[in-house]
Amino acid sequence: MSAKQSPTSFRQWAVVVFGFLALALAFSARATLGLVMPIWAQELGWSRSFVSGSAAAALLVMAMVAPFAGRIVDRHGVRATLTLGLSLVGIGCLIVAATSNAYVFLFAFSGLSALGFGIVATHVVSTAIARLFDRNRGLATGIATSGATGGQFLIVPLIATVLAVFSWRWSFLAIGIGCLALIPILWWTLGTTEKSDAQAASERAASSLKADLRSIIRKPAFHVLFWSFLLCGYTTAGVIETHFLPYASFCGFGPVPSAAAYGALSAVNMLGMIGAGWLTDRMNRIVLLGSIYILRGLTFLILMNVGGSYEMLVVFAILFGAVDYATVPVTASLVASHIGLRVMGFAMGLISAGHSLGAALGAWSGGYVFDLTMRYDWVWMISTGLAVGGGLMVFLLCCDRQAPAHAI
């Protein structure tokens, strides 16, 4: 590698590393809410419905801010975008650590931090990767965005240890300090991107938000990717992240084995994202994405037949983990080629908003269906149909063209 190429290579992989770390911290902050929920019920008198409602409110805020976060990375680059998002997440977590007031908590977590969650998101990181990488784009996207699940696997156990040894306040304090401590390192390391980001931003500033939105929604590929990703949110962040552990308890498994199965799911999830990214660079992406959705749908059939078999629960966790967030790098690659790099951040933001809406619907409907039937069978049957439907929808994309390096 020549001296001229070295800074570019460093810049590329620095964005991958910081994208992974930023997503790991942001997603860990969200996961910490579930860890402290029982403690808050005892110590502060906050009901589970109140804390769950604050989480749902945060999801809605994330859905609303996602397109604007994509617009920010389109216009100002990844360094400024991640700095803004980490600042909001960090400040929000520090306020949560310091308060016992429910309204202040809502402002901090469902307001400030939720804005940060919507900015430090997979669509922002994947857009930055797509603009930097011509070769190995899918692999780089898979590695960077795997921080979303890697954080739950690597950081959340550390946070749980802090919670057990000290208190829940120290857990949020640790995440807040981690977010703010990462900012100056990120800002200095990604300084080489500032000039090119500013130059690219000036080129993209010629078009208005309205014109870009009109251009995006006129593309059939956007609608295919939007609705399939909405179904993705329903079947992952919606029903599984919300109802997997309650279902395990319903089947008679204790908290420790249930958490161990979910930990296995998260670990395989991270590997699945990286593997899907690697395959994105090497095979037909439409076939890959459609197959991921269909295979995900079939895994719910295993979940329906767990009964009292812990081995079946672990088999589901491993198989589902392999196709859980694996849609992210493939979807990002298809957005880059079928919608265009110039508006990729905005388009991915809109698609990610659909994912959050699907997740909120899945979380709510799963509980509603269970309350009606007192069983989870229909929850998993509906999820099977929606996941397979999402896969079939992907095959409507007419061709699998790769985006050239200068695609706009």
Side-chain angles (χ1 to χ4, degrees), residues 57-68 114 118 349-350 352-358:
L59 279 172
L60 292 177
V61 171
M62 290 166 58
M64 290 187 290
V65 80
F68 299 100
L350 293 168
S352 295
H355 189 278
S356 294
L357 292 174

Side-chain angles (χ1 to χ4, degrees), residues 96-304:
V96 171
T99 190
S100 298
N101 184 286
Y103 295 105
V104 175
F105 162 74
L106 284 174
F107 167 75
F109 187 87
S110 302
L112 290 179
S113 287
L115 289 172
F117 299 150
I119 296 172
V120 184
T122 56
H123 69 281
V124 168
V125 173
S126 60
T127 299
I129 299 297
R131 294 216 174 95
L132 288 174
F133 283 80
D134 296 328
R135 298 183 58 191
N136 298 319
R137 177 185 288 172
L139 177 61
T141 303
I143 294 173
T145 56
S146 69
T149 186
Q152 297 181 51
F153 177 65
L154 300 172
I155 298 179
V156 170
L158 297 177
I159 297 300
T161 302
V162 172
L163 187 151
V165 175
F166 299 101
S167 75
W168 64 266
R169 296 186 187 276
W170 283 95
S171 298
F172 280 99
L173 183 65
I175 295 178
I177 292 174
C179 289
L180 298 180
L182 185 61
I183 291 173
I185 306 172
L186 178 152
W187 189 265
W188 177 79
T189 305
L190 301 186
T192 55
T193 69
E194 189 175 49
K195 182 177 179 180
S196 58
D197 284 341
Q199 184 179 12
S202 65
E203 295 173 357
R204 294 189 288 269
S207 61
S208 66
L209 177 67
K210 183 178 180 180
D212 286 344
L213 179 61
R214 185 184 300 116
S215 173
I216 291 170
I217 63 176
R218 284 179 176 175
K219 296 181 183 292
F222 168 76
H223 294 280
V224 171
L225 294 171
F226 176 88
W227 291 108
S228 62
F229 215 52
L230 184 145
L231 298 179
C232 176
Y234 184 102
T235 55
T236 55
V239 295
I240 291 300
E241 291 186 14
T242 305
H243 298 288
F244 176 81
L245 291 176
Y247 176 67
S249 176
F250 178 79
C251 291
F253 306 118
V256 174
S258 299
Y262 191 77
L265 188 155
S266 298
V268 177
N269 195 353
M270 181 170 61
L271 298 176
M273 293 182 75
I274 297 172
W278 183 81
L279 289 173
T280 297
D281 298 322
R282 290 163 174 80
M283 66 175 289
N284 185 291
R285 296 167 298 161
I286 293 172
V287 173
L288 176 61
L289 184 58
S291 299
I292 289 172
Y293 279 121
I294 292 172
L295 290 172
R296 179 192 296 171
L298 296 179
T299 63
F300 285 106
L301 300 179
I302 299 174
L303 198 58
M304 290 174 58

Side-chain angles (χ1 to χ4, degrees), residues 18-94:
F18 282 107
F20 180 95
L21 293 174
L23 289 173
L25 286 168
F27 275 72
S28 295
R30 292 168 55 185
T32 301
L33 201 67
L35 290 175
V36 302
M37 189 184 299
I39 298 174
W40 282 346
Q42 296 179 358
E43 183 177 327
L44 302 177
W46 295 351
S47 67
R48 294 187 181 225
S49 60
F50 167 74
V51 180
S52 299
S54 68
L59 279 172
L60 292 177
V61 171
M62 290 166 58
M64 290 187 290
V65 80
F68 299 100
R71 189 72 171 173
I72 292 172
V73 76
D74 281 340
R75 294 300 183 91
H76 301 289
V78 66
R79 184 172 78 150
T81 308
L82 289 182
T83 296
L84 174 61
L86 286 170
S87 298
L88 290 167
V89 174
I91 293 171
C93 287
L94 292 181

